[in-house]
Amino acid sequence: VNELALIDRIRRRIPAARRSGITVGIGDDCAVFRPSGAKEDLLFTTDMVIEDVHFRRATHPPSAVGHRVLARGLSDIAAMGGEPRFCLLSLALAPWVDRKWLDAFYRGLLRLAARTECMLAGGDIARAGKVTCDIVVCGSVPRGRAILRSGAREGDGIYVSGALGGSALGLEKGRGAAWKHHLRPEPRLALGRFVRERLRATSAMDLSDGLSIDLHRLCLASGVSAVLERDPPAFRGASLEHALHGGEDYELLFTVKRRTIVPEHWLDFPLTRIGAIRKGSPGRVELHGRTLDPLGWDHFRAH
Ligand SMILES: [Mg+2]
């Protein structure tokens, strides 16, 4: 089953519900909820992390698993330019899980939660054949200011933060700087706010599944196409293939108006212009005069 097609099928079956307070539903990094009369909109995102799908007991330290569970959700909050508020974690434990594993898992999760002021506010614990973590993260953003995927327009510049392909390379090598990057991705929360407040980004999303498929999704949501003017910046040792299609880097992909001046660095983060938004077949991404297939993470998993 194709994930994009499945999401579309679900979305088409949902009736409009004005009373829900939802201003942005399925299809962006977060759902946006507008409490009546409030100065802020609330952002909600949910993610699953499953043993032998997203991590392996033999290779991933439990504290890194806990870190990554929360980092994925925080990265979606960053993608909207928001600030984290709280999270809810439901956890199914496999028979092999002992107290030591569980303590380290929560240590990894709660350290990141404390550092980003994202309080663990509740959840559920159950048993299952494999460890399954299901997290909901709530964030906030000034009313009407969430950066959406759907705002990119012809002529906008396309930018990425950092270097890409490190997580995919790390998974292959299982050691070194790339492996560390894979184990402990850092959600770009401060950068997301900078991109919203100072650069007035027209659209944004986080790179969770790979540049080729994520840029394709952004273009689909905005009804535009994209031309890549250069190869994306690659993590040290990563190939162009890693940088174009590797997932789980959790860098930010964003667009700004043509005249917006974007610094080459913000704090520690390189910000690199990789292309421009064009009119044309919605979702199409072009590189070196050819269509770039939206392969993304599944492409690597299949290998
Ligand atoms: Mg996302």
Side-chain angles (χ1 to χ4, degrees):
V1 184
N2 173 308
E3 190 184 326
L4 293 186
L6 176 64
I7 292 170
D8 211 46
R9 274 170 65 99
I10 297 169
R11 178 165 39 189
R12 274 188 272 122
R13 293 172 66 170
I14 301 171
R18 254 180 293 155
R19 217 161 51 94
S20 69
I22 294 294
T23 61
V24 177
I26 291 176
D28 217 303
D29 292 279
C30 298
V32 180
F33 171 66
R34 176 161 299 166
S36 62
K39 287 183 185 150
E40 291 181 323
D41 289 337
L42 296 180
L43 309 170
F44 291 90
T45 178
T46 181
D47 269 299
M48 275 202 281
V49 170
I50 300 168
E51 180 188 355
D52 292 337
V53 177
H54 302 95
F55 76 93
R56 284 180 208 286
R57 177 188 175 189
T59 52
H60 290 69
S63 63
V65 177
H67 175 100
R68 293 176 88 244
V69 168
L70 179 57
R72 289 179 60 161
L74 290 174
S75 183
D76 282 329
I77 301 291
M80 312 287 281
E83 276 184 67
R85 290 295 195 84
F86 65 87
C87 61
L88 304 167
L89 174 70
S90 292
L91 192 56
L93 303 176
W96 59 262
V97 172
D98 57 15
R99 184 184 297 181
K100 200 176 149 210
W101 192 93
L102 205 54
D103 281 350
F105 171 88
Y106 273 103
R107 196 189 322 123
L109 187 137
L110 290 174
R111 263 191 199 159
L112 181 60
R115 195 150 58 72
T116 56
E117 297 185 76
C118 183
M119 182 188 175
L120 178 59
D124 190 20
I125 294 181
R127 303 215 166 257
K130 306 245 182 205
V131 172
T132 306
C133 320
D134 177 2
I135 196 159
V136 174
V137 179
C138 173
S140 65
V141 69
R143 186 182 163 104
R145 292 293 169 80
I147 320 169
L148 308 183
R149 292 182 183 181
S150 52
R153 295 295 175 264
E154 186 193 7
D156 288 358
I158 305 170
Y159 288 78
V160 292
S161 66
L164 309 184
S167 190
L169 173 69
L171 257 190
E172 280 175 19
K173 293 181 73 175
R175 61 189 162 76
W179 176 240
K180 275 190 194 147
H181 171 73
H182 168 78
L183 288 181
R184 292 184 190 276
E186 189 59 36
R188 303 304 190 204
L189 287 161
L191 181 64
R193 289 197 294 275
F194 171 77
V195 161
R196 171 173 64 75
E197 289 170 358
R198 310 299 294 275
L199 301 183
R200 306 271 170 150
T202 52
S203 72
M205 67 185 295
D206 66 321
L207 289 171
S208 55
D209 292 346
L211 178 66
S212 63
I213 190 161
D214 287 335
L215 181 55
H216 167 70
R217 287 171 175 154
L218 186 141
C219 286
L220 272 183
S222 294
V224 295
S225 67
V227 176
L228 295 180
E229 298 158 343
R230 51 159 290 173
D231 294 340
F235 195 92
R236 199 172 162 190
S239 64
L240 177 60
E241 183 93 340
H242 288 129
L244 285 174
H245 306 300
E248 302 193 316
D249 283 317
Y250 301 108
E251 294 292 351
L252 293 186
L253 169 69
F254 60 94
T255 60
V256 297
K257 289 211 173 107
R258 193 195 307 257
R259 290 184 208 285
T260 303
I261 296 166
V262 177
E264 280 179 31
H265 280 83
W266 185 73
L267 300 181
D268 288 342
F269 311 111
L271 302 177
T272 309
R273 180 182 165 117
I274 56 169
I277 297 293
R278 296 274 183 263
K279 274 187 190 158
S281 172
R284 179 167 186 264
V285 177
E286 186 186 308
L287 175 64
H288 303 316
R290 271 184 290 186
T291 298
L292 179 67
D293 288 327
L295 298 176
W297 203 206
D298 284 337
H299 166 70
F300 274 93
R301 270 218 287 264
H303 280 61

